[in-house]
Amino acid sequence: TIDELVVDPAYRRRGLGQALIEAVVRLAQSRQCPLLYFDTLQDSADVQAFYRACGFADTGVATLQIG
């Protein structure tokens, strides 16, 4: 479960959030974890777009199949 992901506003839109998600996915895969859960209940359209770009659905608590 990813409880929270925050990138300082001054550093957003540089791929840092995506890189963090990719690192978590690689770590989960190395530990044979088949799913990631991420709380996607955010009001911001930008946040929802970020989740979708990372492969998550914006349906509350999203599941990302990784294994």
Side-chain angles (χ1 to χ4, degrees):
T1 300
I2 302 171
D3 291 322
E4 190 169 349
L5 174 71
V6 178
V7 174
D8 185 294
Y11 294 95
R12 291 183 184 162
R13 301 216 173 262
R14 297 182 186 189
L16 298 172
Q18 183 86 24
L20 289 168
I21 293 293
E22 290 170 1
V24 169
V25 168
R26 284 192 305 276
L27 178 64
Q29 288 171 327
S30 74
R31 295 182 179 187
Q32 287 131 20
C33 177
L35 297 170
L36 286 176
Y37 297 97
F38 195 63
D39 179 3
T40 61
L41 288 175
Q42 298 288 329
D43 293 332
S44 168
D46 289 340
V47 173
Q48 292 295 336
F50 171 75
Y51 295 144
R52 285 190 301 274
C54 290
F56 289 91
D58 55 356
T59 57
V61 175
T63 302
L64 178 66
Q65 183 77 33
I66 59 172

